[in-house]
Amino acid sequence: MARMKHYVIANWKMYLSAQKSVATFKQLLRWEKTHKWNKNLEVVVAPPLIALPEIAALLRKARSSQIRLCAQDIGFAEEGAFTGGIAPRDVKRLGVQYALVGHSERRQYFSEDTGLCRRKAVAARAGGLKVVYCVGETKDERHAGRVHDVVREQLAGVKADVVAYEPRWAIGTGIPIAPGEAETVHAFIAHEAAGKPAVCYGGSVSPENVMQFVALEDTAGVLVGSASTTLKSLCSIISKVDKRS
Ligand code: PGA
């Protein structure tokens, strides 16, 4: 049986300036040259969109086989009168392979609902991008015992290549979910999602706790926010997941 592919997905959000993103990415490329990773491991970096063209050019030049790029957001249509929109085909043309859809910060601060996420996922795939789709409940929804209902609703009609389970209350708080609880939801996602996506965990992943998550059943890796924004902790996470891949 083929070994499961593993992922470290680094979401730099709006933490790093475009300039700092480029500098950090250069350091990552240099680090990659001196560290051979397992072929099953893909490191997917989602820099701020404004830095993507420059970073994509660096990646093309470096001919890295294991670092991939991801757009933090994507337009829901191919082209047209959509001010501020990002055409998937333009992202693809840069050599970017993934688009992030449904991140809880997009849902919360940009009022994106699952209907819009569905359209974004369709547009991304039609434009030749793979979709990393985020799902996850709020604290209240968890307390009300609604985790599976919420995740089921978020998954409905969305075809993704990677589904990241990110309980909203665990994002950016330094307090991840208990691994056993993540495992239950990962199994649910593996059963419920269309097209057998890889399932990753996200929410306060750090070099200290990452192994607890990648050791879980039905878990192909991690989506990391703040701990991915410094080279030291990103590389530490990559090295640890590499041992498992
Ligand atoms: P965090 O963010 O690792 O900073 O909690 C994760 C995410 O939002 O994807």
Side-chain angles (χ1 to χ4, degrees):
M1 205 174 94
R3 280 174 70 92
M4 193 205 272
K5 200 161 169 178
H6 278 80
Y7 298 86
V8 172
I9 305 172
N11 178 11
W12 289 352
K13 308 192 183 188
M14 213 173 75
Y15 282 125
L16 300 181
S17 67
Q19 214 183 6
K20 191 86 208 304
S21 299
V22 169
T24 307
F25 194 78
K26 278 184 186 162
Q27 291 174 323
L28 178 64
L29 287 174
R30 272 201 294 277
W31 184 77
E32 187 203 15
K33 289 226 176 318
T34 55
H35 293 77
K36 216 166 163 33
W37 304 332
N38 197 307
K39 281 202 301 297
N40 288 320
L41 175 64
E42 240 179 54
V43 174
V44 181
V45 180
L49 278 164
I50 198 154
L52 207 45
E54 196 173 344
I55 285 180
L58 289 170
L59 186 60
R60 283 196 302 273
K61 208 162 141 217
R63 295 176 191 277
S64 164
S65 55
Q66 281 172 285
I67 298 178
R68 307 273 183 257
L69 292 175
C70 177
Q72 287 185 19
D73 185 27
I74 201 73
F76 61 81
E78 211 174 294
E79 61 180 18
F82 303 110
T83 302
I86 308 132
R89 58 154 189 242
D90 288 336
V91 172
K92 170 75 181 171
R93 226 173 259 150
L94 292 174
V96 173
Q97 293 197 350
Y98 290 88
L100 197 57
V101 174
H103 191 280
S104 72
E105 286 148 17
R106 300 292 313 176
R107 294 180 193 262
Q108 183 177 354
Y109 303 119
F110 299 86
S111 306
E112 295 191 2
D113 60 14
T114 295
L116 180 58
C117 295
R118 232 173 259 142
R119 294 177 69 186
K120 288 190 171 195
V122 169
R125 292 173 71 93
L129 297 166
K130 294 181 186 172
V131 171
V132 178
Y133 183 56
C134 302
V135 299
E137 79 288 353
T138 62
K139 189 131 235 167
D140 286 350
E141 288 164 344
R142 173 160 283 269
H143 284 153
R146 298 197 53 239
V147 177
H148 287 188
D149 290 345
V150 169
V151 171
R152 185 186 292 113
E153 272 166 38
Q154 291 169 336
L155 288 173
V158 180
K159 194 138 185 269
D161 300 275
V162 178
V163 171
Y165 170 55
E166 301 204 299
R168 282 194 191 192
W169 50 271
I171 294 176
T173 58
I175 305 168
I177 195 170
E181 286 175 19
E183 190 165 40
T184 307
V185 185
H186 294 182
F188 179 74
I189 292 170
H191 179 261
E192 200 73 17
K196 296 203 182 316
V199 181
C200 291
Y201 170 76
S204 295
V205 171
S206 68
E208 292 70 39
N209 64 31
V210 64
M211 287 315 284
Q212 297 173 13
F213 292 103
V214 287
L216 300 174
E217 282 282 317
D218 293 312
T219 305
V222 284
L223 202 169
V224 192
S226 66
S228 74
T229 58
T230 63
L231 191 75
K232 187 162 178 269
S233 84
L234 175 58
C235 293
S236 163
I237 289 170
I238 293 170
S239 299
K240 288 184 177 178
V241 178
D242 184 37
K243 287 205 183 78
R244 172 78 194 172
S245 65

PDB file of all heavy atoms in Angstrom, residues 9 11 13 15 100 103-105 134 164 166 170-174 202-206 223-228, ligand 1:
ATOM      1  N   ILE A   9       1.264  22.759   6.230  1.00  0.00           N
ATOM      2  CA  ILE A   9       0.724  23.910   5.508  1.00  0.00           C
ATOM      3  C   ILE A   9       0.949  25.138   6.387  1.00  0.00           C
ATOM      4  O   ILE A   9       0.469  25.196   7.527  1.00  0.00           O
ATOM      5  CB  ILE A   9      -0.774  23.716   5.195  1.00  0.00           C
ATOM      6  CG1 ILE A   9      -0.966  22.394   4.431  1.00  0.00           C
ATOM      7  CG2 ILE A   9      -1.312  24.905   4.375  1.00  0.00           C
ATOM      8  CD1 ILE A   9      -2.423  21.986   4.232  1.00  0.00           C
ATOM      9  N   ASN A  11       0.397  28.900   7.044  1.00  0.00           N
ATOM     10  CA  ASN A  11      -0.483  30.030   6.713  1.00  0.00           C
ATOM     11  C   ASN A  11       0.074  31.277   7.381  1.00  0.00           C
ATOM     12  O   ASN A  11      -0.063  31.459   8.585  1.00  0.00           O
ATOM     13  CB  ASN A  11      -1.904  29.705   7.223  1.00  0.00           C
ATOM     14  CG  ASN A  11      -2.868  30.842   6.975  1.00  0.00           C
ATOM     15  OD1 ASN A  11      -2.564  31.790   6.250  1.00  0.00           O
ATOM     16  ND2 ASN A  11      -4.048  30.752   7.584  1.00  0.00           N
ATOM     17  N   LYS A  13      -0.876  34.246   6.979  1.00  0.00           N
ATOM     18  CA  LYS A  13      -1.937  35.246   7.225  1.00  0.00           C
ATOM     19  C   LYS A  13      -1.439  36.643   6.827  1.00  0.00           C
ATOM     20  O   LYS A  13      -0.802  36.812   5.797  1.00  0.00           O
ATOM     21  CB  LYS A  13      -2.385  35.204   8.696  1.00  0.00           C
ATOM     22  CG  LYS A  13      -2.754  33.785   9.151  1.00  0.00           C
ATOM     23  CD  LYS A  13      -3.452  33.757  10.485  1.00  0.00           C
ATOM     24  CE  LYS A  13      -3.716  32.301  10.879  1.00  0.00           C
ATOM     25  NZ  LYS A  13      -4.544  32.174  12.061  1.00  0.00           N
ATOM     26  N   TYR A  15       0.461  38.271   9.038  1.00  0.00           N
ATOM     27  CA  TYR A  15       1.472  38.479  10.084  1.00  0.00           C
ATOM     28  C   TYR A  15       2.732  39.137   9.516  1.00  0.00           C
ATOM     29  O   TYR A  15       3.316  40.007  10.128  1.00  0.00           O
ATOM     30  CB  TYR A  15       1.896  37.135  10.682  1.00  0.00           C
ATOM     31  CG  TYR A  15       0.951  36.523  11.675  1.00  0.00           C
ATOM     32  CD1 TYR A  15       0.473  35.230  11.499  1.00  0.00           C
ATOM     33  CD2 TYR A  15       0.572  37.211  12.819  1.00  0.00           C
ATOM     34  CE1 TYR A  15      -0.367  34.634  12.427  1.00  0.00           C
ATOM     35  CE2 TYR A  15      -0.273  36.623  13.754  1.00  0.00           C
ATOM     36  CZ  TYR A  15      -0.735  35.336  13.550  1.00  0.00           C
ATOM     37  OH  TYR A  15      -1.548  34.761  14.459  1.00  0.00           O
ATOM     38  N   LEU A 100      -6.512  28.271  -0.454  1.00  0.00           N
ATOM     39  CA  LEU A 100      -7.147  28.078   0.849  1.00  0.00           C
ATOM     40  C   LEU A 100      -8.582  28.609   0.761  1.00  0.00           C
ATOM     41  O   LEU A 100      -8.791  29.734   0.313  1.00  0.00           O
ATOM     42  CB  LEU A 100      -6.341  28.877   1.875  1.00  0.00           C
ATOM     43  CG  LEU A 100      -6.479  28.594   3.359  1.00  0.00           C
ATOM     44  CD1 LEU A 100      -6.167  27.149   3.674  1.00  0.00           C
ATOM     45  CD2 LEU A 100      -5.535  29.505   4.147  1.00  0.00           C
ATOM     46  N   HIS A 103     -11.316  29.446   5.416  1.00  0.00           N
ATOM     47  CA  HIS A 103     -10.638  29.666   6.696  1.00  0.00           C
ATOM     48  C   HIS A 103     -11.570  30.420   7.638  1.00  0.00           C
ATOM     49  O   HIS A 103     -12.304  31.323   7.221  1.00  0.00           O
ATOM     50  CB  HIS A 103      -9.335  30.452   6.498  1.00  0.00           C
ATOM     51  CG  HIS A 103      -8.497  30.450   7.730  1.00  0.00           C
ATOM     52  ND1 HIS A 103      -8.743  31.300   8.790  1.00  0.00           N
ATOM     53  CD2 HIS A 103      -7.451  29.672   8.100  1.00  0.00           C
ATOM     54  CE1 HIS A 103      -7.871  31.045   9.750  1.00  0.00           C
ATOM     55  NE2 HIS A 103      -7.072  30.064   9.354  1.00  0.00           N
ATOM     56  N   SER A 104     -11.510  30.095   8.907  1.00  0.00           N
ATOM     57  CA  SER A 104     -12.475  30.689   9.849  1.00  0.00           C
ATOM     58  C   SER A 104     -12.346  32.205   9.918  1.00  0.00           C
ATOM     59  O   SER A 104     -13.316  32.902  10.202  1.00  0.00           O
ATOM     60  CB  SER A 104     -12.339  30.066  11.226  1.00  0.00           C
ATOM     61  OG  SER A 104     -11.161  30.518  11.822  1.00  0.00           O
ATOM     62  N   GLU A 105     -11.133  32.720   9.663  1.00  0.00           N
ATOM     63  CA  GLU A 105     -10.990  34.184   9.669  1.00  0.00           C
ATOM     64  C   GLU A 105     -11.695  34.807   8.473  1.00  0.00           C
ATOM     65  O   GLU A 105     -12.223  35.915   8.561  1.00  0.00           O
ATOM     66  CB  GLU A 105      -9.501  34.578   9.729  1.00  0.00           C
ATOM     67  CG  GLU A 105      -8.939  34.325  11.119  1.00  0.00           C
ATOM     68  CD  GLU A 105      -7.478  33.928  11.166  1.00  0.00           C
ATOM     69  OE1 GLU A 105      -6.760  34.133  10.176  1.00  0.00           O
ATOM     70  OE2 GLU A 105      -7.053  33.387  12.205  1.00  0.00           O
ATOM     71  N   CYS A 134     -11.062  24.602   4.986  1.00  0.00           N
ATOM     72  CA  CYS A 134     -11.064  24.593   6.452  1.00  0.00           C
ATOM     73  C   CYS A 134     -12.485  24.465   7.008  1.00  0.00           C
ATOM     74  O   CYS A 134     -13.399  25.139   6.526  1.00  0.00           O
ATOM     75  CB  CYS A 134     -10.470  25.878   7.000  1.00  0.00           C
ATOM     76  SG  CYS A 134      -8.799  26.184   6.441  1.00  0.00           S
ATOM     77  N   ALA A 164      -8.852  20.785   6.301  1.00  0.00           N
ATOM     78  CA  ALA A 164      -8.193  21.070   7.578  1.00  0.00           C
ATOM     79  C   ALA A 164      -9.271  21.252   8.630  1.00  0.00           C
ATOM     80  O   ALA A 164     -10.123  22.138   8.498  1.00  0.00           O
ATOM     81  CB  ALA A 164      -7.335  22.323   7.450  1.00  0.00           C
ATOM     82  N   GLU A 166     -10.114  22.748  11.845  1.00  0.00           N
ATOM     83  CA  GLU A 166      -9.582  23.810  12.690  1.00  0.00           C
ATOM     84  C   GLU A 166     -10.679  24.320  13.608  1.00  0.00           C
ATOM     85  O   GLU A 166     -11.460  25.202  13.230  1.00  0.00           O
ATOM     86  CB  GLU A 166      -9.099  24.978  11.825  1.00  0.00           C
ATOM     87  CG  GLU A 166      -8.019  24.608  10.837  1.00  0.00           C
ATOM     88  CD  GLU A 166      -7.185  25.813  10.456  1.00  0.00           C
ATOM     89  OE1 GLU A 166      -7.728  26.792   9.908  1.00  0.00           O
ATOM     90  OE2 GLU A 166      -5.987  25.796  10.750  1.00  0.00           O
ATOM     91  N   ALA A 170      -9.642  27.172  18.884  1.00  0.00           N
ATOM     92  CA  ALA A 170      -8.246  26.764  19.118  1.00  0.00           C
ATOM     93  C   ALA A 170      -7.282  27.569  18.258  1.00  0.00           C
ATOM     94  O   ALA A 170      -6.067  27.448  18.406  1.00  0.00           O
ATOM     95  CB  ALA A 170      -8.088  25.275  18.823  1.00  0.00           C
ATOM     96  N   ILE A 171      -7.822  28.387  17.351  1.00  0.00           N
ATOM     97  CA  ILE A 171      -6.949  29.127  16.431  1.00  0.00           C
ATOM     98  C   ILE A 171      -6.395  30.367  17.124  1.00  0.00           C
ATOM     99  O   ILE A 171      -7.152  31.173  17.672  1.00  0.00           O
ATOM    100  CB  ILE A 171      -7.720  29.531  15.155  1.00  0.00           C
ATOM    101  CG1 ILE A 171      -8.111  28.278  14.374  1.00  0.00           C
ATOM    102  CG2 ILE A 171      -6.874  30.462  14.286  1.00  0.00           C
ATOM    103  CD1 ILE A 171      -8.951  28.549  13.147  1.00  0.00           C
ATOM    104  N   GLY A 172      -5.085  30.467  17.112  1.00  0.00           N
ATOM    105  CA  GLY A 172      -4.421  31.663  17.627  1.00  0.00           C
ATOM    106  C   GLY A 172      -4.515  31.830  19.132  1.00  0.00           C
ATOM    107  O   GLY A 172      -4.223  32.899  19.661  1.00  0.00           O
ATOM    108  N   THR A 173      -4.898  30.791  19.837  1.00  0.00           N
ATOM    109  CA  THR A 173      -5.071  30.922  21.287  1.00  0.00           C
ATOM    110  C   THR A 173      -3.923  30.287  22.072  1.00  0.00           C
ATOM    111  O   THR A 173      -3.810  30.494  23.281  1.00  0.00           O
ATOM    112  CB  THR A 173      -6.371  30.217  21.746  1.00  0.00           C
ATOM    113  OG1 THR A 173      -6.288  28.837  21.346  1.00  0.00           O
ATOM    114  CG2 THR A 173      -7.594  30.864  21.132  1.00  0.00           C
ATOM    115  N   GLY A 174      -3.111  29.489  21.388  1.00  0.00           N
ATOM    116  CA  GLY A 174      -2.050  28.770  22.097  1.00  0.00           C
ATOM    117  C   GLY A 174      -2.572  27.511  22.778  1.00  0.00           C
ATOM    118  O   GLY A 174      -1.821  26.781  23.412  1.00  0.00           O
ATOM    119  N   GLY A 202      -5.533  21.880  12.361  1.00  0.00           N
ATOM    120  CA  GLY A 202      -4.999  23.227  12.555  1.00  0.00           C
ATOM    121  C   GLY A 202      -5.609  23.880  13.780  1.00  0.00           C
ATOM    122  O   GLY A 202      -6.770  23.636  14.131  1.00  0.00           O
ATOM    123  N   GLY A 203      -4.819  24.724  14.431  1.00  0.00           N
ATOM    124  CA  GLY A 203      -5.283  25.435  15.631  1.00  0.00           C
ATOM    125  C   GLY A 203      -4.241  25.319  16.714  1.00  0.00           C
ATOM    126  O   GLY A 203      -4.175  24.291  17.394  1.00  0.00           O
ATOM    127  N   SER A 204      -3.377  26.355  16.832  1.00  0.00           N
ATOM    128  CA  SER A 204      -2.334  26.395  17.859  1.00  0.00           C
ATOM    129  C   SER A 204      -1.351  25.229  17.788  1.00  0.00           C
ATOM    130  O   SER A 204      -0.889  24.730  18.820  1.00  0.00           O
ATOM    131  CB  SER A 204      -2.968  26.493  19.253  1.00  0.00           C
ATOM    132  OG  SER A 204      -3.657  27.728  19.379  1.00  0.00           O
ATOM    133  N   VAL A 205      -1.045  24.809  16.566  1.00  0.00           N
ATOM    134  CA  VAL A 205       0.010  23.789  16.401  1.00  0.00           C
ATOM    135  C   VAL A 205       1.362  24.464  16.641  1.00  0.00           C
ATOM    136  O   VAL A 205       1.591  25.597  16.214  1.00  0.00           O
ATOM    137  CB  VAL A 205      -0.032  23.179  14.987  1.00  0.00           C
ATOM    138  CG1 VAL A 205       1.190  22.295  14.728  1.00  0.00           C
ATOM    139  CG2 VAL A 205      -1.325  22.386  14.785  1.00  0.00           C
ATOM    140  N   SER A 206       2.251  23.755  17.338  1.00  0.00           N
ATOM    141  CA  SER A 206       3.574  24.289  17.656  1.00  0.00           C
ATOM    142  C   SER A 206       4.594  23.157  17.522  1.00  0.00           C
ATOM    143  O   SER A 206       4.210  21.986  17.427  1.00  0.00           O
ATOM    144  CB  SER A 206       3.583  24.814  19.100  1.00  0.00           C
ATOM    145  OG  SER A 206       3.451  23.710  19.985  1.00  0.00           O
ATOM    146  N   LEU A 223      -1.978  22.300   9.646  1.00  0.00           N
ATOM    147  CA  LEU A 223      -2.049  23.653   9.094  1.00  0.00           C
ATOM    148  C   LEU A 223      -1.624  24.577  10.232  1.00  0.00           C
ATOM    149  O   LEU A 223      -2.244  24.574  11.297  1.00  0.00           O
ATOM    150  CB  LEU A 223      -3.487  23.950   8.641  1.00  0.00           C
ATOM    151  CG  LEU A 223      -3.687  25.048   7.601  1.00  0.00           C
ATOM    152  CD1 LEU A 223      -5.118  25.022   7.090  1.00  0.00           C
ATOM    153  CD2 LEU A 223      -3.355  26.416   8.096  1.00  0.00           C
ATOM    154  N   VAL A 224      -0.565  25.334  10.001  1.00  0.00           N
ATOM    155  CA  VAL A 224       0.044  26.083  11.087  1.00  0.00           C
ATOM    156  C   VAL A 224       0.008  27.578  10.789  1.00  0.00           C
ATOM    157  O   VAL A 224       0.420  28.010   9.711  1.00  0.00           O
ATOM    158  CB  VAL A 224       1.528  25.659  11.278  1.00  0.00           C
ATOM    159  CG1 VAL A 224       2.061  26.218  12.589  1.00  0.00           C
ATOM    160  CG2 VAL A 224       1.677  24.154  11.223  1.00  0.00           C
ATOM    161  N   GLY A 225      -0.468  28.350  11.737  1.00  0.00           N
ATOM    162  CA  GLY A 225      -0.492  29.796  11.585  1.00  0.00           C
ATOM    163  C   GLY A 225       0.734  30.432  12.211  1.00  0.00           C
ATOM    164  O   GLY A 225       1.834  30.383  11.655  1.00  0.00           O
ATOM    165  N   SER A 226       0.574  30.976  13.417  1.00  0.00           N
ATOM    166  CA  SER A 226       1.647  31.808  13.978  1.00  0.00           C
ATOM    167  C   SER A 226       2.972  31.067  14.124  1.00  0.00           C
ATOM    168  O   SER A 226       4.028  31.657  13.890  1.00  0.00           O
ATOM    169  CB  SER A 226       1.210  32.445  15.295  1.00  0.00           C
ATOM    170  OG  SER A 226       1.016  31.454  16.240  1.00  0.00           O
ATOM    171  N   ALA A 227       2.946  29.784  14.450  1.00  0.00           N
ATOM    172  CA  ALA A 227       4.219  29.064  14.624  1.00  0.00           C
ATOM    173  C   ALA A 227       4.940  28.819  13.294  1.00  0.00           C
ATOM    174  O   ALA A 227       6.067  28.327  13.285  1.00  0.00           O
ATOM    175  CB  ALA A 227       3.984  27.740  15.352  1.00  0.00           C
ATOM    176  N   SER A 228       4.281  29.160  12.178  1.00  0.00           N
ATOM    177  CA  SER A 228       4.960  28.961  10.883  1.00  0.00           C
ATOM    178  C   SER A 228       5.650  30.236  10.403  1.00  0.00           C
ATOM    179  O   SER A 228       6.272  30.249   9.345  1.00  0.00           O
ATOM    180  CB  SER A 228       3.955  28.505   9.817  1.00  0.00           C
ATOM    181  OG  SER A 228       3.118  29.572   9.405  1.00  0.00           O
TER     182      SER A 228
HETATM  183  P1  PGA B   1      -2.637  29.188  14.563  1.00  0.00           P
HETATM  184  O1  PGA B   1      -3.512  29.389  13.237  1.00  0.00           O
HETATM  185  O2  PGA B   1      -1.667  28.079  14.273  1.00  0.00           O
HETATM  186  O3  PGA B   1      -1.962  30.511  14.766  1.00  0.00           O
HETATM  187  O4  PGA B   1      -3.589  28.843  15.640  1.00  0.00           O
HETATM  188  C1  PGA B   1      -3.950  28.289  12.505  1.00  0.00           C
HETATM  189  C2  PGA B   1      -4.795  28.739  11.365  1.00  0.00           C
HETATM  190  O5  PGA B   1      -5.495  29.734  11.487  1.00  0.00           O
HETATM  191  O6  PGA B   1      -4.785  28.138  10.298  1.00  0.00           O
END
